Each structure stands twice: as C-alpha cells, then as structure tokens.
Amino acid sequence: MNGLNSEAEVSGTKTYLALSVVAPAGDQIRAGQKRLEIRKWKPDVLPLRDLLIVQNQQRLSRTGMSEDPAGTVVALVDVVAVREWREDDLTAACATRWTPGWVAWELVNVRPVDHTRFVPARRRLYELELRPPVAPGLPAPSPDGHRVIMLRPDLKNIPAAPFPEGYGIRPMTTDDIGLWTDIQRDAESYFKIADTLFRQEFGEDLEAIQSRCFILTNPKGLGVGTISAWYDNNFHGQRIGRIHWVSVRPSCQRRGLSKAALAYSLKQLAQWHDRCYLVTATARVPAINLYLNFGFVPNLSLPNAAAIWQELSPRLKYPALNL
C-alpha cells in the first residue's frame, strides 16, 4: 500500500495515507531523532510508502475525541517493517519506558515537509486529500503560533519574586483537578481545554502532584492560577526538570503572579534537578519575555528553531539574542 494515490486530482490535490502522533513525536520524527513509532497494532499491508505524519497536541485515545482539527503536517516517511518492540529500542523510539507486547514501526526515508493549513488528526491510519506538501520552510503555526522550547542551563541564581500581598501558592491534590481545569479554561484563549487534560499531562505520576503541582491563591484563598515544577525523563536522553502549565485567570493578571510562581517553582525544581526547560509558543510574547528575564534561553535543537526565533526577536524585550 502506498501513502500517495497514483492518480492526481484535477485540482492538483493527492490522497495520502496519514498517521497522527502527539507532540513532540512529530518534531522528533521530522528531525530524525525518532526512528520507531510504537503502537499496539500493525498495518494491514506493508510497505507503506509516503505515509504522511500529522502532529497534534492531544492524545485522542485518552480524550475520547475521534478527531482533532488542529493537526500539522510535519513529514513523509516510509514504513518498511513492523516488529516486536524490544526493551533496547527506547532511544530509537524516544520513549521513557518499555511495555511488552507492543510493536515497533520502522520509519525510513524521512522527508521533512510543510503544509500551510491545519489538517485533521484522527486515530489509526486514515486518508487525507491535500496539495502535495512543500519542502521545509517554517511549518504552519498552531493557533498560538510556532512551538518553541526554552532551556535554563542551571538552577542557580534564581531571581527573587515575592507574591503580591494576600496572594500565595499551595500544593495541589487530586481533588483540585476540576479547579485546575477551570483555571485553564478561564486563562486559555487559543485552545479548547478538555476535561481529561490534567490526567493526560500528569496522569502517569499522580503521586508527584502534591510536591510538583501548585495552585495560586488570592486573598480569599480561591484558586486563580496554576504552575507545575514537573519533569521529563527523556529530554534528549536525559532526565531534567520542566516548568509546565503556567496559567493565571485574566482577572488576576498583570499583578506579578506568574513571576512569583515561576521563582517559587524554579526553587522547587532545584531540589531534584540541575536544569530545566519549558515549551511555549510565539504568540505568547509576555510569557517569553518573562522566561528570558528568568534565565531561560532558546533551545535550537528542533528544525526551523533558529528561523522561528529570528522572526520572533523584534517583538521581544531581548532583541539581541545569540542565535
């Protein structure tokens, strides 16, 4: 079976066989870092030629969604073999833990490509009709812009930033998941927040929530923000800290809460890690300026990262970034 239909449509579109993956797996495939795609199931026919890789932000099998309309085309690949997944395949799969009984799709002939519009991400293999993707340039952005990774090379000299009078921070519990979701929905202007988002992001280690996830509180003790001093077991093959899901209700923004929460969370991370990273997007300029002010720097390891930061630089308070 080929991913590309042999007959071109009059309109210039072609029908591709597609496979959706959750970010950052698509970026890792595109960069040649992820050479195995791990699944519970095998395709009916091999080889798969010109299989379109579509990256999206939500794991459909966990959310119960049948489709995510905000998928991004990242690469064309060939799948020439599917075999048993082995424990020594973790690096090639960009995985953090091994589970027996799953299968490894061997990805070869990876061709980074771009497409200027969002496409649907669906479960299993599915067909997409679109104009042939173009050679790499800047990929089509998400609603909040291009994804960027920022790295703090160490956890020393963390700036001091006290909370405003009456505001504070407390540890989360699983009883706060509904509150956490409500805060995200109040603060997020680009994406729909699913009921299952918290467990999707943190469900693999619920025991760590009380020490790593936090609720920001107002003078009445009500929850007005979130932040997490989380971790990643496989950031370029290493375990490091991660600042995750920094959100403040609009009614409490511009009061220094994000700054105070970031200072607090970095100090928490320093108990367990010697460096950390975060993921944000180019439309979130105030957040990026805050992170730059706190010692985070652009991580240029992913394709097009340097070009994205050069395009973003004039909008920042730190235009002289060393790119």
Side-chain angles (χ1 to χ4, degrees):
M1 180 185 296
N2 288 339
L4 179 62
N5 194 333
S6 60
E7 296 184 3
E9 301 290 338
V10 175
S11 64
T13 64
K14 297 179 183 292
T15 301
Y16 289 84
L17 199 64
L19 181 73
S20 69
V21 298
V22 178
D27 294 324
Q28 293 167 336
I29 291 171
R30 180 187 175 104
Q33 300 167 345
K34 180 176 170 65
R35 303 184 301 279
L36 297 176
E37 173 62 16
I38 309 305
R39 299 274 162 159
K40 290 183 177 180
W41 52 278
K42 301 178 181 179
D44 295 332
V45 180
L46 287 174
L48 300 176
R49 303 291 184 189
D50 295 323
L51 178 65
L52 198 70
I53 301 298
V54 175
Q55 178 170 269
N56 70 309
Q57 303 297 320
Q58 302 189 65
R59 192 176 300 278
L60 300 180
S61 60
R62 289 186 182 175
T63 63
M65 299 168 57
S66 61
E67 179 177 304
D68 181 351
T72 304
V73 174
V74 294
L76 284 167
V77 305
D78 295 341
V79 181
V80 296
V82 175
R83 58 170 174 78
E84 179 184 357
W85 186 30
R86 303 186 301 263
E87 194 167 2
D88 59 0
D89 286 328
L90 286 175
T91 299
C94 291
T96 58
R97 63 181 182 181
W98 173 76
T99 303
W102 292 52
V103 294
W105 298 30
E106 296 184 0
L107 310 179
V108 299
N109 192 23
V110 177
R111 288 144 286 162
V113 293
D114 297 333
H115 183 64
T116 57
R117 297 182 178 179
F118 292 119
V119 299
R122 301 181 183 127
R123 298 185 189 184
R124 300 181 73 91
L125 293 172
Y126 62 103
E127 290 187 344
L128 280 179
E129 184 177 309
L130 68 160
R131 292 183 180 276
V134 299
L138 285 182
S142 298
D144 59 345
H146 296 286
R147 286 283 177 273
V148 291
I149 298 174
M150 303 183 71
L151 179 70
R152 199 176 200 275
D154 61 56
L155 288 170
K156 303 174 183 177
N157 302 316
I158 297 169
F163 280 92
E165 185 176 356
Y167 289 84
I169 190 167
R170 64 169 176 81
M172 267 193 70
T173 71
T174 53
D175 292 337
D176 292 314
I177 292 177
L179 172 61
W180 185 95
T181 303
D182 183 68
I183 293 170
Q184 304 308 324
R185 286 177 175 154
D186 195 14
E188 180 54 60
S189 58
Y190 295 102
F191 295 101
K192 180 179 180 180
I193 301 297
D195 290 338
T196 55
L197 179 60
F198 184 87
R199 291 186 182 275
Q200 176 184 323
E201 295 293 306
F202 303 102
E204 293 186 356
D205 192 0
L206 291 177
E207 292 183 358
I209 291 174
Q210 288 190 338
S211 58
R212 289 182 176 265
C213 297
F214 307 99
I215 298 291
L216 313 185
T217 57
N218 68 7
K220 295 182 178 180
L222 301 177
V224 296
T226 69
I227 193 168
S228 297
W230 205 242
Y231 63 91
D232 190 329
N233 282 325
N234 189 24
F235 184 81
H236 298 291
Q238 298 181 350
R239 177 184 168 92
I240 72 172
R242 180 178 184 180
I243 294 294
H244 207 19
W245 287 102
V246 184
S247 298
V248 176
R249 293 191 190 275
S251 61
C252 294
Q253 291 176 5
R254 300 182 182 275
R255 303 186 186 193
L257 290 180
S258 294
K259 182 185 296 186
L262 182 59
Y264 179 89
S265 297
L266 288 173
K267 291 175 182 177
Q268 297 301 113
L269 283 177
Q271 300 178 74
W272 310 297
H273 307 281
D274 57 11
R275 60 183 184 141
C276 69
Y277 82 103
L278 58 84
V279 180
T280 186
T282 53
R284 305 178 191 268
V285 172
I288 293 174
N289 280 322
L290 171 63
Y291 301 141
L292 289 169
N293 192 45
F294 267 72
F296 285 85
V297 296
N299 182 287
L300 304 180
S301 62
L302 293 179
N304 300 310
I308 289 171
W309 278 100
Q310 287 169 355
E311 181 183 273
L312 175 63
S313 182
R315 299 161 56 197
L316 301 176
K317 295 180 180 179
Y318 300 81
L321 293 174
N322 183 18
L323 302 176

